[in-house]
Amino acid sequence: MSAPIFKLVLGALFAFTLNLPADLAHAAAPALSASSYPKEFRIGYQKGNSLVILKASGELEKALAPNGVTVKWFEFPFGPPMVEALNAGDIDLGFVGSTPPVFAQAGGAPEIRYIGYAAAYKDNYAVVVPKESTARRMKDLQGKKIAVAKGSAGQYLLLKALEQDGMKPDDIVFAYLQYSEARSAFERGDVAAWVVPDPRLADVEQNIGARPLVTASKLTPQYSFYVAPAKFAATYPAILRITLDKLNDTEQYAKEHADETARFLEKDTRVPLKIWQLALTRQAWGVAYPLPPNIVDAQQEVANTFFRYKLIPKAVQIKDASVSVK
């Protein structure tokens, strides 16, 4: 079903044609009453993920055109500002890591709702140390600085990595740095370790010999989520269903055609091809909805952990913010 999506994208970007079986083609979603759809559908995205591929293909626009919907796309540098835009009513759908919606629910954006999820992080998110480091476990970093983006999925990964080795947050020094600052600090030796996801993880592995000390695959499962304002999710579930289905189609095709995906992402992000080729070998694929109990439980552990360490002002229940758009 996903082949025509990627065929359009790759044909435009790489100037070659994929020979696809006719039975992979799919029709646009059936038209429902005009009241079932908004006039505009505003999507927040970040570079380097399947929303970018879907945007480039134009397939979502084609699917929604019979219902009179105009799709608008808005790029964000990372998750928290996207959640702010959702809360302000500036966008209708976003894709974020595990932590921004927890902060939203506990703070100033309690009307954000989980509508779908992506597969759990695996070896594509890690605590890394320099190649010359003698550290072999988290305890070897006791008393040292570790760079991490505040409020990110990496912050939760770091807390769980510490817990797994019998440590507490006070056993290390948190250096809250965004990615560009963290990379410089890591290379200078100002921090002993860095919590980083792909493709930056693949970059530092390939180019400066950074070594993963612990990866997300060895820790409590952590997921990324598709989120929407509560009112929008309740009023327009059909458009969210169509979008999530299209995204899953896109991801499945991307998984099966990794070389083409890497070339597309190189062009989109200007990150070299070889880095994407490594990153895609450990990418977690798939988009699904609604959230089943095990996903809710995993995200509840994120919320509980942040509350336990007083990183959010109140306890929250993830099930209260999870809705079905089926």
Side-chain angles (χ1 to χ4, degrees):
M1 290 177 62
S2 59
I5 297 174
F6 233 66
K7 183 177 179 182
L8 287 172
V9 177
L10 299 175
L13 293 176
F14 311 138
F16 67 83
T17 301
L18 299 176
N19 296 316
L20 302 171
D23 60 0
L24 289 179
H26 63 282
L32 299 180
S33 64
S35 61
S36 300
Y37 291 86
K39 291 183 179 179
E40 285 187 351
F41 183 37
R42 301 161 301 173
I43 302 174
Y45 71 97
Q46 301 175 59
K47 283 187 177 295
N49 62 36
S50 56
L51 277 169
V52 176
I53 301 171
L54 185 58
K55 174 180 180 289
S57 74
E59 287 294 302
L60 184 60
E61 286 82 351
K62 289 182 181 180
L64 297 176
N67 298 294
V69 179
T70 299
V71 181
K72 294 188 175 181
W73 301 84
F74 299 88
E75 185 179 335
F76 291 83
F78 45 90
M82 189 180 298
V83 169
E84 290 177 12
L86 286 161
N87 185 57
D90 294 333
I91 59 173
D92 307 310
L93 176 68
F95 178 59
V96 295
S98 62
T99 56
V102 167
F103 281 96
Q105 194 177 357
E111 293 304 303
I112 301 301
R113 295 291 180 264
Y114 299 87
I115 63 163
Y117 64 98
Y121 297 123
K122 300 190 293 186
D123 291 332
N124 55 343
Y125 218 135
V127 179
V128 297
V129 293
K131 63 180 179 180
E132 65 274 10
S133 174
T134 60
R136 290 294 180 268
R137 55 185 293 192
M138 292 301 296
K139 275 192 178 295
D140 295 332
L141 298 175
Q142 188 150 351
K144 299 184 181 297
K145 287 184 180 180
I146 300 180
V148 64
K150 190 172 186 178
S152 68
Q155 187 175 6
Y156 177 68
L157 186 154
L158 179 54
L159 291 171
K160 285 302 177 184
L162 292 170
E163 288 181 356
Q164 181 172 274
D165 219 3
M167 300 172 70
K168 298 178 181 179
D170 290 344
D171 290 334
I172 63 161
V173 178
F174 285 76
Y176 291 121
L177 300 171
Q178 292 302 324
Y179 291 120
S180 59
E181 300 170 313
R183 172 68 180 267
S184 297
F186 185 76
E187 291 198 54
R188 288 195 306 266
D190 294 344
V191 296
W194 178 21
V195 189
V196 61
D198 275 333
R200 295 176 180 91
L201 171 58
D203 182 13
V204 294
E205 285 180 286
Q206 289 186 340
N207 291 317
I208 62 174
R211 173 171 52 84
L213 197 63
V214 60
T215 69
S217 65
K218 307 301 183 183
L219 302 170
T220 303
Q222 185 179 180
Y223 299 84
S224 296
F225 296 93
Y226 292 89
V227 291
K231 184 177 180 181
F232 188 91
T235 307
Y236 303 114
I239 199 170
L240 296 172
R241 288 196 303 271
I242 291 171
T243 304
L244 293 175
D245 288 342
K246 291 283 186 183
L247 283 164
N248 188 55
D249 289 347
T250 300
E251 291 216 355
Q252 296 309 318
Y253 191 83
K255 177 182 178 180
E256 295 166 6
H257 298 80
D259 285 343
E260 292 93 332
T261 303
R263 292 177 189 176
F264 170 78
L265 292 172
E266 178 189 36
K267 195 172 186 72
D268 176 57
T269 63
R270 298 183 182 179
V271 173
L273 179 65
K274 68 174 185 176
I275 292 172
W276 277 117
Q277 287 172 329
L278 173 58
L280 292 178
T281 65
R282 56 200 183 196
Q283 172 66 32
W285 301 101
V287 176
Y289 63 95
L291 277 60
N294 67 304
I295 306 298
V296 172
D297 290 345
Q299 184 66 355
Q300 186 63 54
E301 179 59 21
V302 177
N304 293 347
T305 300
F306 274 80
F307 181 65
R308 184 165 65 251
Y309 292 123
K310 300 181 180 180
L311 296 170
I312 56 175
K314 65 179 183 180
V316 298
Q317 293 298 316
I318 301 304
K319 64 181 180 180
D320 294 342
S322 178
V323 301
S324 175
V325 295
K326 276 198 168 183

